[in-house]
Amino acid sequence: QQQVKQSPQSLIVQKGGISIINCAYENTAFDYFPWYQQFPGKGPALLIAIRPDVSEKKEGRFTISFNKSAKQFSLHIMDSQPGDSATYFCAAGDSNYQLIWGAGTKLIIKP
Amino acid sequence: GAGVSQTPSNKVTEKGKYVELRCDPISGHTALYWYRQSLGQGPEFLIYFQGTGAADDSGLPNDRFFAVRPEGSVSTLKIQRTERGDSAVYLCASSLLALNTGELFFGEGSRLTVL
């Protein structure tokens, strides 16, 4: 019940395309859903986060869509650029302080 | 410095040796976390400090692992009698307040290789 399942494991998208990464969770106590971006040799960095009181949040080219009833949330990257090539992690947290992380998606944007 | 600093960036040691990994969090951040990340995996929680005290050490794999934060700032993760399975990147993160109201700021990690 504590797992966060992330898919796909890897993704190749043409430059200018839309990249979509999906996550699913079981624990209904989760109320904070961040996405982190990690480049090789670096620590993860917060990209965007959402709480379950909204169904969508957009920041620039990055959008989180949240479906509370389905217990799913996804990251959309519009107009994907080679600089977006990285590993993306979804995570989920509750009123506690721990985040439960997905296994990551390696995204490659082809020029 | 402006970010979370971790030293060493790389550590190669032999099985059975003792290792210390250091984390210098962002100034003023009261919460500090240690995670472990294996290749192709997401970060795995190890321990969380709020101030000087370890608020939750439930993620430490066994009693060979120990962490301290004596003055509420710098933290040291200590691993005794290292095993090959301890090889991973150890990530430190800090946040202004206790999670999960906000952002975790991660360091670049300490890559530990146990031969």
Side-chain angles (χ1 to χ4, degrees), chain A residues 9 31-32 36 38 41-46 51 89 93-99 101-104, chain B residues 33 35 37 40-43 45 48 55-56 58 91 98-104 106-109:
Chain A
Q9 200 170 26
D31 63 359
Y32 176 65
Y36 278 78
Q38 186 175 29
K42 303 292 185 183
L46 181 67
R51 294 196 181 272
F89 293 95
D94 57 19
S95 57
N96 206 343
Y97 45 81
Q98 278 197 38
L99 283 177
W101 294 71
Chain B
Y33 309 78
Y35 285 86
Q37 187 174 27
Q41 299 295 318
F45 171 79
Y48 156 64
D56 183 355
S58 64
L91 293 167
L99 228 239
N100 60 36
T101 55
E103 180 175 358
L104 290 182
F106 282 87
E108 294 192 348

Side-chain angles (χ1 to χ4, degrees), chain A residues 8 12 23 26 28 31 38 56 60 68 72 75-76 85 96 105 110:
Chain A
I12 300 174
C23 282
E26 290 294 323
T28 55
D31 63 359
Q38 186 175 29
E56 186 175 281
K68 190 174 181 178
Q72 294 175 347
L75 175 69
H76 291 62
S85 297
N96 206 343
T105 296
K110 284 194 155 185

